[in-house]
Amino acid sequence: MEKNIAGNLFWIAVLTIVLASATTQAQLQLGFYHRSCPKAESLIREFVQDHIPNAPSLAAALLRMHFHDCFVQGCDGSILLNVTTTTPTNATEKTAPPNLTLRGFDFIDRVKAVVEEECPGVVSCADVVALVARDSVVVTGGPSWNVPTGRRDGTISNATQALNGIPAPFFNFVNLTKSFAKVGLNVTDLVLLSGAHTIGIGHCSSFSKRLYNFTGVGDEDPSLDSEYAANLKKFKCKIPNDNVTFVEMDPGSVRTFDTHYYKLLLKRRGLFQSDAALTTDSNARDFVTNLVNGPPSNFFAAFGLSMEKMGRAHVKTGTQGQIRKHCALINN
Ligand code: HEM
Ligand SMILES: *[C@@H]1O[C@H](CO)[C@@H](O)[C@H](O)[C@H]1NC(C)=O
Ligand SMILES: *[C@@H]1O[C@H](CO)[C@@H](O)[C@H](O)[C@H]1NC(C)=O
Ligand SMILES: *[C@@H]1O[C@H](CO)[C@@H](O)[C@H](O)[C@H]1NC(C)=O
Ligand SMILES: *[C@@H]1O[C@H](CO)[C@@H](O)[C@H](O)[C@H]1NC(C)=O
Ligand SMILES: *[C@@H]1O[C@H](CO)[C@@H](O)[C@H](O)[C@H]1NC(C)=O
Ligand SMILES: *[C@@H]1O[C@H](CO)[C@@H](O)[C@H](O)[C@H]1NC(C)=O
Ligand SMILES: *[C@@H]1O[C@H](CO)[C@@H](O)[C@H](O)[C@H]1NC(C)=O
Ligand SMILES: CC(=O)N[C@H]1CO[C@H](CO)[C@@H](O)[C@@H]1O
């Protein structure tokens, strides 16, 4: 009898804790807007399907935007706030002739306007970014993945934090691992998500040191294939620190989401030190080799799982944050 009471009390305590954490810790869920804005996800998908084929290079910028958003104060749309829009790396944001990133912000604003018209004040900018990133990759023939929704928008825009959160292209393996661990991502995720560099471009200034001044004595990065380096210097990045010219990160396959990026890594042709770093750790290198040798479908499936995981990084849910009306501005 006494044992029973103790047992019951135990289960009541467990239940109470579970219920309490369920109410304070709202979770992301698939189809969060199912009741509050049933058409939200299809409107977003249709907008992407209608517009990305005319501007395919935008898909990369939009995928990268979701990554940057999640690495700074969690996936909360703070990357879109006006104060931070120019912070992540100066070289990137303002100088691309096609102005990729700026066009990315404009694209998100247009998507947000569509969902605002359908259901004002319901769909967060953070969810728009997450859904647009997925839908853009799908339109380019890449993998799909689940995007549970219910993210709320943050209200802090801090340039210093933006610079701190985003891993730099000169990071080594240890630096990268630490940076990813801060948002709950491990080495598997690091290798898989870096595979996003199978699409898109990088400015010469993002890897110039590898070509011109690796250790400060006018030398090249010895871990970069010398033939590739010579070609880059001859035809693309002709002067040090050129922040205007850009190159394809996965030359010849820049618009195709595939495992070719990993093949380049094994040929010592990853563009950034952070790409090359993935082959400096034996476990990571083995994983890269597996991805190269396996069917693309393995990469696609695993990439999708890591994207879903990244999309949960420090999210705000429930009553935290707000649903911004304009993605560039905090509601007043
Ligand atoms: C592992 C650490 C990472 C580093 C150090 C890094 C760094 C960079 C840099 C420096 C650029 C080129 C910027 C420029 O010069 O214009 C770039 C481009 C890009 N990154 Fe990453 N990145 C990392 C991880 C990721 C992740 C996790 C994703 C997405 C899941 C991603 C997606 C992209 C895409 C799609 C582009 C091309 C953007 C465009 O064409 O506009 N990157 N990245
Ligand atoms: C954000 O800042 C840009 C540039 O300063 C400006 O053109 C734009 O109108 C601002 N957006 C909003 C919604 O105020
Ligand atoms: C970006 O530009 C601002 C203002 O010009 C400057 O203060 C800052 O140091 C630059 N940051 C980087 C990473 O170059
Ligand atoms: C690009 O490089 C030029 C020349 O070094 C410099 O004047 C300019 O400020 C740089 N732009 C950015 C956005 O860093
Ligand atoms: C990029 O866009 C900004 C703002 O619209 C503009 O001032 C700048 O000249 C553009 N840069 C290039 C290289 O087109
Ligand atoms: C921005 O973030 C940095 C680094 O976390 C912090 O030192 C600084 O106080 C913050 N600035 C504001 C205005 O909150
Ligand atoms: C990383 O996390 C995933 C689960 O999210 C797990 O399957 C994988 O084994 C982990 N990788 C490492 C190296 O711990
Ligand atoms: C190479 O780096 C060293 C040390 O940072 C610097 O003093 C030198 O001016 C750089 N040379 C070039 C060509 O950028
Ligand atoms: C920014 C950062 O974390 N840099 C570190 C990268 O790794 C080197 C060597 O492991 C450290 O000295 C840096 O501080």
Side-chain angles (χ1 to χ4, degrees), residues 289-324:
T289 309
N290 284 343
L291 289 167
V292 168
N293 293 337
S297 56
N298 283 3
F299 167 51
F300 275 26
F303 178 84
L305 289 177
S306 284
M307 283 301 298
E308 186 179 342
K309 194 171 165 186
M310 183 182 89
R312 295 180 188 276
H314 301 310
V315 287
K316 298 170 178 67
T317 54
T319 54
Q320 296 167 315
Q322 57 178 217
I323 305 296
R324 269 183 239 141

PDB file of all heavy atoms in Angstrom, residues 289-324:
ATOM      1  N   THR A 289      34.901  10.726 -47.951  1.00  0.00           N
ATOM      2  CA  THR A 289      35.131   9.646 -48.918  1.00  0.00           C
ATOM      3  C   THR A 289      33.870   8.797 -49.092  1.00  0.00           C
ATOM      4  O   THR A 289      33.505   8.436 -50.217  1.00  0.00           O
ATOM      5  CB  THR A 289      36.308   8.768 -48.444  1.00  0.00           C
ATOM      6  OG1 THR A 289      37.415   9.624 -48.155  1.00  0.00           O
ATOM      7  CG2 THR A 289      36.712   7.769 -49.507  1.00  0.00           C
ATOM      8  N   ASN A 290      33.200   8.513 -47.989  1.00  0.00           N
ATOM      9  CA  ASN A 290      31.938   7.765 -48.072  1.00  0.00           C
ATOM     10  C   ASN A 290      30.908   8.488 -48.921  1.00  0.00           C
ATOM     11  O   ASN A 290      30.194   7.879 -49.708  1.00  0.00           O
ATOM     12  CB  ASN A 290      31.328   7.571 -46.673  1.00  0.00           C
ATOM     13  CG  ASN A 290      32.040   6.493 -45.892  1.00  0.00           C
ATOM     14  OD1 ASN A 290      32.758   5.685 -46.478  1.00  0.00           O
ATOM     15  ND2 ASN A 290      31.857   6.483 -44.586  1.00  0.00           N
ATOM     16  N   LEU A 291      30.834   9.804 -48.734  1.00  0.00           N
ATOM     17  CA  LEU A 291      29.848  10.581 -49.487  1.00  0.00           C
ATOM     18  C   LEU A 291      30.173  10.544 -50.977  1.00  0.00           C
ATOM     19  O   LEU A 291      29.272  10.469 -51.822  1.00  0.00           O
ATOM     20  CB  LEU A 291      29.804  12.028 -48.981  1.00  0.00           C
ATOM     21  CG  LEU A 291      29.189  12.211 -47.590  1.00  0.00           C
ATOM     22  CD1 LEU A 291      29.465  13.599 -47.035  1.00  0.00           C
ATOM     23  CD2 LEU A 291      27.685  11.947 -47.632  1.00  0.00           C
ATOM     24  N   VAL A 292      31.455  10.597 -51.299  1.00  0.00           N
ATOM     25  CA  VAL A 292      31.865  10.553 -52.706  1.00  0.00           C
ATOM     26  C   VAL A 292      31.534   9.191 -53.307  1.00  0.00           C
ATOM     27  O   VAL A 292      31.042   9.103 -54.438  1.00  0.00           O
ATOM     28  CB  VAL A 292      33.376  10.842 -52.844  1.00  0.00           C
ATOM     29  CG1 VAL A 292      33.863  10.504 -54.246  1.00  0.00           C
ATOM     30  CG2 VAL A 292      33.669  12.297 -52.505  1.00  0.00           C
ATOM     31  N   ASN A 293      31.777   8.134 -52.541  1.00  0.00           N
ATOM     32  CA  ASN A 293      31.595   6.789 -53.075  1.00  0.00           C
ATOM     33  C   ASN A 293      30.142   6.323 -53.060  1.00  0.00           C
ATOM     34  O   ASN A 293      29.772   5.431 -53.815  1.00  0.00           O
ATOM     35  CB  ASN A 293      32.466   5.786 -52.297  1.00  0.00           C
ATOM     36  CG  ASN A 293      33.947   6.032 -52.532  1.00  0.00           C
ATOM     37  OD1 ASN A 293      34.322   6.622 -53.554  1.00  0.00           O
ATOM     38  ND2 ASN A 293      34.780   5.635 -51.598  1.00  0.00           N
ATOM     39  N   GLY A 294      29.336   6.919 -52.197  1.00  0.00           N
ATOM     40  CA  GLY A 294      27.939   6.502 -52.100  1.00  0.00           C
ATOM     41  C   GLY A 294      27.103   7.172 -53.177  1.00  0.00           C
ATOM     42  O   GLY A 294      27.556   8.084 -53.858  1.00  0.00           O
ATOM     43  N   PRO A 295      25.856   6.714 -53.350  1.00  0.00           N
ATOM     44  CA  PRO A 295      24.964   7.363 -54.303  1.00  0.00           C
ATOM     45  C   PRO A 295      24.568   8.743 -53.781  1.00  0.00           C
ATOM     46  O   PRO A 295      24.541   8.951 -52.561  1.00  0.00           O
ATOM     47  CB  PRO A 295      23.763   6.423 -54.350  1.00  0.00           C
ATOM     48  CG  PRO A 295      23.779   5.724 -53.040  1.00  0.00           C
ATOM     49  CD  PRO A 295      25.224   5.625 -52.627  1.00  0.00           C
ATOM     50  N   PRO A 296      24.291   9.685 -54.696  1.00  0.00           N
ATOM     51  CA  PRO A 296      23.887  11.028 -54.271  1.00  0.00           C
ATOM     52  C   PRO A 296      22.710  10.990 -53.297  1.00  0.00           C
ATOM     53  O   PRO A 296      22.589  11.866 -52.443  1.00  0.00           O
ATOM     54  CB  PRO A 296      23.481  11.720 -55.573  1.00  0.00           C
ATOM     55  CG  PRO A 296      24.172  10.962 -56.648  1.00  0.00           C
ATOM     56  CD  PRO A 296      24.323   9.560 -56.160  1.00  0.00           C
ATOM     57  N   SER A 297      21.864   9.963 -53.431  1.00  0.00           N
ATOM     58  CA  SER A 297      20.687   9.902 -52.556  1.00  0.00           C
ATOM     59  C   SER A 297      21.095   9.794 -51.084  1.00  0.00           C
ATOM     60  O   SER A 297      20.385  10.297 -50.209  1.00  0.00           O
ATOM     61  CB  SER A 297      19.794   8.726 -52.947  1.00  0.00           C
ATOM     62  OG  SER A 297      20.530   7.522 -52.913  1.00  0.00           O
ATOM     63  N   ASN A 298      22.232   9.164 -50.796  1.00  0.00           N
ATOM     64  CA  ASN A 298      22.714   9.119 -49.405  1.00  0.00           C
ATOM     65  C   ASN A 298      23.021  10.516 -48.909  1.00  0.00           C
ATOM     66  O   ASN A 298      22.657  10.900 -47.799  1.00  0.00           O
ATOM     67  CB  ASN A 298      24.012   8.298 -49.304  1.00  0.00           C
ATOM     68  CG  ASN A 298      23.742   6.811 -49.352  1.00  0.00           C
ATOM     69  OD1 ASN A 298      22.602   6.397 -49.513  1.00  0.00           O
ATOM     70  ND2 ASN A 298      24.799   6.029 -49.244  1.00  0.00           N
ATOM     71  N   PHE A 299      23.748  11.274 -49.733  1.00  0.00           N
ATOM     72  CA  PHE A 299      24.077  12.650 -49.371  1.00  0.00           C
ATOM     73  C   PHE A 299      22.803  13.472 -49.198  1.00  0.00           C
ATOM     74  O   PHE A 299      22.640  14.180 -48.202  1.00  0.00           O
ATOM     75  CB  PHE A 299      24.984  13.261 -50.440  1.00  0.00           C
ATOM     76  CG  PHE A 299      25.144  14.762 -50.342  1.00  0.00           C
ATOM     77  CD1 PHE A 299      25.507  15.373 -49.150  1.00  0.00           C
ATOM     78  CD2 PHE A 299      24.924  15.566 -51.459  1.00  0.00           C
ATOM     79  CE1 PHE A 299      25.646  16.761 -49.060  1.00  0.00           C
ATOM     80  CE2 PHE A 299      25.060  16.953 -51.374  1.00  0.00           C
ATOM     81  CZ  PHE A 299      25.424  17.540 -50.170  1.00  0.00           C
ATOM     82  N   PHE A 300      21.902  13.338 -50.144  1.00  0.00           N
ATOM     83  CA  PHE A 300      20.667  14.128 -50.090  1.00  0.00           C
ATOM     84  C   PHE A 300      19.909  13.871 -48.783  1.00  0.00           C
ATOM     85  O   PHE A 300      19.487  14.808 -48.101  1.00  0.00           O
ATOM     86  CB  PHE A 300      19.751  13.781 -51.274  1.00  0.00           C
ATOM     87  CG  PHE A 300      20.074  14.540 -52.535  1.00  0.00           C
ATOM     88  CD1 PHE A 300      21.356  15.029 -52.763  1.00  0.00           C
ATOM     89  CD2 PHE A 300      19.089  14.776 -53.488  1.00  0.00           C
ATOM     90  CE1 PHE A 300      21.651  15.739 -53.923  1.00  0.00           C
ATOM     91  CE2 PHE A 300      19.375  15.487 -54.648  1.00  0.00           C
ATOM     92  CZ  PHE A 300      20.649  15.968 -54.871  1.00  0.00           C
ATOM     93  N   ALA A 301      19.734  12.618 -48.443  1.00  0.00           N
ATOM     94  CA  ALA A 301      18.951  12.273 -47.253  1.00  0.00           C
ATOM     95  C   ALA A 301      19.636  12.797 -45.992  1.00  0.00           C
ATOM     96  O   ALA A 301      18.999  13.401 -45.120  1.00  0.00           O
ATOM     97  CB  ALA A 301      18.766  10.762 -47.167  1.00  0.00           C
ATOM     98  N   ALA A 302      20.952  12.595 -45.921  1.00  0.00           N
ATOM     99  CA  ALA A 302      21.680  13.006 -44.726  1.00  0.00           C
ATOM    100  C   ALA A 302      21.774  14.538 -44.642  1.00  0.00           C
ATOM    101  O   ALA A 302      21.642  15.117 -43.556  1.00  0.00           O
ATOM    102  CB  ALA A 302      23.074  12.386 -44.725  1.00  0.00           C
ATOM    103  N   PHE A 303      21.962  15.181 -45.778  1.00  0.00           N
ATOM    104  CA  PHE A 303      21.992  16.647 -45.807  1.00  0.00           C
ATOM    105  C   PHE A 303      20.669  17.203 -45.269  1.00  0.00           C
ATOM    106  O   PHE A 303      20.651  18.128 -44.451  1.00  0.00           O
ATOM    107  CB  PHE A 303      22.235  17.149 -47.237  1.00  0.00           C
ATOM    108  CG  PHE A 303      22.243  18.654 -47.379  1.00  0.00           C
ATOM    109  CD1 PHE A 303      23.401  19.372 -47.117  1.00  0.00           C
ATOM    110  CD2 PHE A 303      21.097  19.357 -47.752  1.00  0.00           C
ATOM    111  CE1 PHE A 303      23.421  20.765 -47.228  1.00  0.00           C
ATOM    112  CE2 PHE A 303      21.108  20.739 -47.865  1.00  0.00           C
ATOM    113  CZ  PHE A 303      22.269  21.444 -47.603  1.00  0.00           C
ATOM    114  N   GLY A 304      19.576  16.599 -45.713  1.00  0.00           N
ATOM    115  CA  GLY A 304      18.256  17.053 -45.270  1.00  0.00           C
ATOM    116  C   GLY A 304      18.083  16.947 -43.763  1.00  0.00           C
ATOM    117  O   GLY A 304      17.554  17.862 -43.122  1.00  0.00           O
ATOM    118  N   LEU A 305      18.563  15.852 -43.200  1.00  0.00           N
ATOM    119  CA  LEU A 305      18.437  15.683 -41.741  1.00  0.00           C
ATOM    120  C   LEU A 305      19.261  16.745 -41.008  1.00  0.00           C
ATOM    121  O   LEU A 305      18.816  17.299 -39.991  1.00  0.00           O
ATOM    122  CB  LEU A 305      18.889  14.279 -41.320  1.00  0.00           C
ATOM    123  CG  LEU A 305      17.959  13.132 -41.731  1.00  0.00           C
ATOM    124  CD1 LEU A 305      18.552  11.797 -41.309  1.00  0.00           C
ATOM    125  CD2 LEU A 305      16.560  13.326 -41.116  1.00  0.00           C
ATOM    126  N   SER A 306      20.449  17.038 -41.522  1.00  0.00           N
ATOM    127  CA  SER A 306      21.269  18.069 -40.870  1.00  0.00           C
ATOM    128  C   SER A 306      20.657  19.457 -41.040  1.00  0.00           C
ATOM    129  O   SER A 306      20.765  20.304 -40.154  1.00  0.00           O
ATOM    130  CB  SER A 306      22.698  18.053 -41.427  1.00  0.00           C
ATOM    131  OG  SER A 306      23.426  16.965 -40.892  1.00  0.00           O
ATOM    132  N   MET A 307      20.011  19.696 -42.174  1.00  0.00           N
ATOM    133  CA  MET A 307      19.337  20.992 -42.358  1.00  0.00           C
ATOM    134  C   MET A 307      18.193  21.141 -41.351  1.00  0.00           C
ATOM    135  O   MET A 307      18.014  22.202 -40.752  1.00  0.00           O
ATOM    136  CB  MET A 307      18.776  21.121 -43.786  1.00  0.00           C
ATOM    137  CG  MET A 307      19.799  21.441 -44.848  1.00  0.00           C
ATOM    138  SD  MET A 307      20.723  22.984 -44.604  1.00  0.00           S
ATOM    139  CE  MET A 307      19.442  24.224 -44.666  1.00  0.00           C
ATOM    140  N   GLU A 308      17.439  20.048 -41.178  1.00  0.00           N
ATOM    141  CA  GLU A 308      16.333  20.097 -40.212  1.00  0.00           C
ATOM    142  C   GLU A 308      16.885  20.390 -38.815  1.00  0.00           C
ATOM    143  O   GLU A 308      16.318  21.175 -38.052  1.00  0.00           O
ATOM    144  CB  GLU A 308      15.562  18.779 -40.237  1.00  0.00           C
ATOM    145  CG  GLU A 308      14.326  18.815 -39.364  1.00  0.00           C
ATOM    146  CD  GLU A 308      13.532  17.506 -39.389  1.00  0.00           C
ATOM    147  OE1 GLU A 308      13.714  16.673 -40.311  1.00  0.00           O
ATOM    148  OE2 GLU A 308      12.720  17.326 -38.468  1.00  0.00           O
ATOM    149  N   LYS A 309      18.015  19.761 -38.518  1.00  0.00           N
ATOM    150  CA  LYS A 309      18.648  19.946 -37.204  1.00  0.00           C
ATOM    151  C   LYS A 309      19.133  21.391 -37.055  1.00  0.00           C
ATOM    152  O   LYS A 309      18.900  22.039 -36.027  1.00  0.00           O
ATOM    153  CB  LYS A 309      19.820  18.968 -37.105  1.00  0.00           C
ATOM    154  CG  LYS A 309      20.406  18.765 -35.735  1.00  0.00           C
ATOM    155  CD  LYS A 309      21.402  17.590 -35.789  1.00  0.00           C
ATOM    156  CE  LYS A 309      22.296  17.527 -34.578  1.00  0.00           C
ATOM    157  NZ  LYS A 309      23.342  16.472 -34.747  1.00  0.00           N
ATOM    158  N   MET A 310      19.789  21.902 -38.098  1.00  0.00           N
ATOM    159  CA  MET A 310      20.248  23.297 -38.059  1.00  0.00           C
ATOM    160  C   MET A 310      19.065  24.248 -37.851  1.00  0.00           C
ATOM    161  O   MET A 310      19.164  25.233 -37.115  1.00  0.00           O
ATOM    162  CB  MET A 310      20.986  23.646 -39.360  1.00  0.00           C
ATOM    163  CG  MET A 310      21.565  25.050 -39.382  1.00  0.00           C
ATOM    164  SD  MET A 310      22.384  25.430 -40.964  1.00  0.00           S
ATOM    165  CE  MET A 310      21.001  26.089 -41.901  1.00  0.00           C
ATOM    166  N   GLY A 311      17.952  23.920 -38.488  1.00  0.00           N
ATOM    167  CA  GLY A 311      16.771  24.780 -38.420  1.00  0.00           C
ATOM    168  C   GLY A 311      16.139  24.850 -37.040  1.00  0.00           C
ATOM    169  O   GLY A 311      15.234  25.650 -36.802  1.00  0.00           O
ATOM    170  N   ARG A 312      16.597  23.982 -36.134  1.00  0.00           N
ATOM    171  CA  ARG A 312      16.093  24.024 -34.753  1.00  0.00           C
ATOM    172  C   ARG A 312      17.007  24.806 -33.822  1.00  0.00           C
ATOM    173  O   ARG A 312      16.710  24.947 -32.623  1.00  0.00           O
ATOM    174  CB  ARG A 312      15.978  22.592 -34.197  1.00  0.00           C
ATOM    175  CG  ARG A 312      14.955  21.727 -34.891  1.00  0.00           C
ATOM    176  CD  ARG A 312      14.926  20.335 -34.265  1.00  0.00           C
ATOM    177  NE  ARG A 312      14.097  19.411 -35.016  1.00  0.00           N
ATOM    178  CZ  ARG A 312      12.776  19.308 -34.873  1.00  0.00           C
ATOM    179  NH1 ARG A 312      12.143  20.053 -33.991  1.00  0.00           N
ATOM    180  NH2 ARG A 312      12.100  18.449 -35.609  1.00  0.00           N
ATOM    181  N   ALA A 313      18.107  25.316 -34.343  1.00  0.00           N
ATOM    182  CA  ALA A 313      19.111  25.955 -33.487  1.00  0.00           C
ATOM    183  C   ALA A 313      18.519  27.132 -32.699  1.00  0.00           C
ATOM    184  O   ALA A 313      18.040  28.104 -33.297  1.00  0.00           O
ATOM    185  CB  ALA A 313      20.295  26.435 -34.337  1.00  0.00           C
ATOM    186  N   HIS A 314      18.548  27.001 -31.396  1.00  0.00           N
ATOM    187  CA  HIS A 314      18.122  28.080 -30.471  1.00  0.00           C
ATOM    188  C   HIS A 314      16.861  28.806 -30.936  1.00  0.00           C
ATOM    189  O   HIS A 314      16.796  30.033 -30.887  1.00  0.00           O
ATOM    190  CB  HIS A 314      19.242  29.112 -30.299  1.00  0.00           C
ATOM    191  CG  HIS A 314      20.524  28.547 -29.774  1.00  0.00           C
ATOM    192  ND1 HIS A 314      20.597  27.756 -28.663  1.00  0.00           N
ATOM    193  CD2 HIS A 314      21.799  28.646 -30.231  1.00  0.00           C
ATOM    194  CE1 HIS A 314      21.850  27.403 -28.436  1.00  0.00           C
ATOM    195  NE2 HIS A 314      22.609  27.916 -29.388  1.00  0.00           N
ATOM    196  N   VAL A 315      15.866  28.054 -31.424  1.00  0.00           N
ATOM    197  CA  VAL A 315      14.672  28.743 -31.931  1.00  0.00           C
ATOM    198  C   VAL A 315      13.859  29.332 -30.790  1.00  0.00           C
ATOM    199  O   VAL A 315      13.897  28.847 -29.657  1.00  0.00           O
ATOM    200  CB  VAL A 315      13.764  27.805 -32.771  1.00  0.00           C
ATOM    201  CG1 VAL A 315      14.393  27.510 -34.116  1.00  0.00           C
ATOM    202  CG2 VAL A 315      13.428  26.532 -32.016  1.00  0.00           C
ATOM    203  N   LYS A 316      13.155  30.387 -31.095  1.00  0.00           N
ATOM    204  CA  LYS A 316      12.194  30.973 -30.174  1.00  0.00           C
ATOM    205  C   LYS A 316      10.820  30.440 -30.569  1.00  0.00           C
ATOM    206  O   LYS A 316      10.493  30.401 -31.754  1.00  0.00           O
ATOM    207  CB  LYS A 316      12.235  32.502 -30.285  1.00  0.00           C
ATOM    208  CG  LYS A 316      13.595  33.067 -29.890  1.00  0.00           C
ATOM    209  CD  LYS A 316      13.732  34.543 -30.232  1.00  0.00           C
ATOM    210  CE  LYS A 316      15.097  35.054 -29.770  1.00  0.00           C
ATOM    211  NZ  LYS A 316      16.219  34.445 -30.534  1.00  0.00           N
ATOM    212  N   THR A 317      10.044  30.011 -29.577  1.00  0.00           N
ATOM    213  CA  THR A 317       8.721  29.449 -29.889  1.00  0.00           C
ATOM    214  C   THR A 317       7.705  29.976 -28.874  1.00  0.00           C
ATOM    215  O   THR A 317       8.062  30.727 -27.958  1.00  0.00           O
ATOM    216  CB  THR A 317       8.741  27.902 -29.805  1.00  0.00           C
ATOM    217  OG1 THR A 317       9.249  27.520 -28.517  1.00  0.00           O
ATOM    218  CG2 THR A 317       9.603  27.282 -30.888  1.00  0.00           C
ATOM    219  N   GLY A 318       6.467  29.555 -29.040  1.00  0.00           N
ATOM    220  CA  GLY A 318       5.423  29.890 -28.063  1.00  0.00           C
ATOM    221  C   GLY A 318       5.184  31.384 -27.982  1.00  0.00           C
ATOM    222  O   GLY A 318       4.742  31.995 -28.947  1.00  0.00           O
ATOM    223  N   THR A 319       5.489  31.944 -26.805  1.00  0.00           N
ATOM    224  CA  THR A 319       5.245  33.378 -26.619  1.00  0.00           C
ATOM    225  C   THR A 319       6.541  34.185 -26.657  1.00  0.00           C
ATOM    226  O   THR A 319       6.536  35.383 -26.381  1.00  0.00           O
ATOM    227  CB  THR A 319       4.546  33.632 -25.268  1.00  0.00           C
ATOM    228  OG1 THR A 319       5.350  33.024 -24.237  1.00  0.00           O
ATOM    229  CG2 THR A 319       3.154  33.030 -25.240  1.00  0.00           C
ATOM    230  N   GLN A 320       7.645  33.509 -26.977  1.00  0.00           N
ATOM    231  CA  GLN A 320       8.907  34.256 -27.071  1.00  0.00           C
ATOM    232  C   GLN A 320       8.917  35.099 -28.344  1.00  0.00           C
ATOM    233  O   GLN A 320       8.257  34.761 -29.321  1.00  0.00           O
ATOM    234  CB  GLN A 320      10.084  33.270 -27.131  1.00  0.00           C
ATOM    235  CG  GLN A 320      10.240  32.419 -25.880  1.00  0.00           C
ATOM    236  CD  GLN A 320      11.211  31.258 -26.103  1.00  0.00           C
ATOM    237  OE1 GLN A 320      11.151  30.572 -27.104  1.00  0.00           O
ATOM    238  NE2 GLN A 320      12.110  31.057 -25.154  1.00  0.00           N
ATOM    239  N   GLY A 321       9.677  36.177 -28.323  1.00  0.00           N
ATOM    240  CA  GLY A 321       9.839  36.979 -29.530  1.00  0.00           C
ATOM    241  C   GLY A 321       8.522  37.526 -30.047  1.00  0.00           C
ATOM    242  O   GLY A 321       7.586  37.766 -29.277  1.00  0.00           O
ATOM    243  N   GLN A 322       8.425  37.664 -31.349  1.00  0.00           N
ATOM    244  CA  GLN A 322       7.225  38.249 -31.956  1.00  0.00           C
ATOM    245  C   GLN A 322       7.104  37.736 -33.392  1.00  0.00           C
ATOM    246  O   GLN A 322       7.975  37.023 -33.870  1.00  0.00           O
ATOM    247  CB  GLN A 322       7.354  39.786 -31.968  1.00  0.00           C
ATOM    248  CG  GLN A 322       8.588  40.285 -32.683  1.00  0.00           C
ATOM    249  CD  GLN A 322       8.706  41.813 -32.748  1.00  0.00           C
ATOM    250  OE1 GLN A 322       9.150  42.342 -33.745  1.00  0.00           O
ATOM    251  NE2 GLN A 322       8.316  42.523 -31.689  1.00  0.00           N
ATOM    252  N   ILE A 323       5.999  38.084 -34.033  1.00  0.00           N
ATOM    253  CA  ILE A 323       5.874  37.842 -35.469  1.00  0.00           C
ATOM    254  C   ILE A 323       6.029  39.202 -36.127  1.00  0.00           C
ATOM    255  O   ILE A 323       5.130  40.042 -36.043  1.00  0.00           O
ATOM    256  CB  ILE A 323       4.483  37.242 -35.824  1.00  0.00           C
ATOM    257  CG1 ILE A 323       4.207  35.971 -35.029  1.00  0.00           C
ATOM    258  CG2 ILE A 323       4.393  36.995 -37.328  1.00  0.00           C
ATOM    259  CD1 ILE A 323       5.128  34.802 -35.307  1.00  0.00           C
ATOM    260  N   ARG A 324       7.167  39.422 -36.741  1.00  0.00           N
ATOM    261  CA  ARG A 324       7.393  40.747 -37.330  1.00  0.00           C
ATOM    262  C   ARG A 324       6.453  41.005 -38.503  1.00  0.00           C
ATOM    263  O   ARG A 324       6.145  40.088 -39.251  1.00  0.00           O
ATOM    264  CB  ARG A 324       8.838  40.835 -37.836  1.00  0.00           C
ATOM    265  CG  ARG A 324       9.794  41.362 -36.799  1.00  0.00           C
ATOM    266  CD  ARG A 324      11.182  41.486 -37.389  1.00  0.00           C
ATOM    267  NE  ARG A 324      12.116  40.673 -36.644  1.00  0.00           N
ATOM    268  CZ  ARG A 324      13.099  39.957 -37.179  1.00  0.00           C
ATOM    269  NH1 ARG A 324      13.291  39.947 -38.480  1.00  0.00           N
ATOM    270  NH2 ARG A 324      13.888  39.260 -36.415  1.00  0.00           N
TER     271      ARG A 324
END
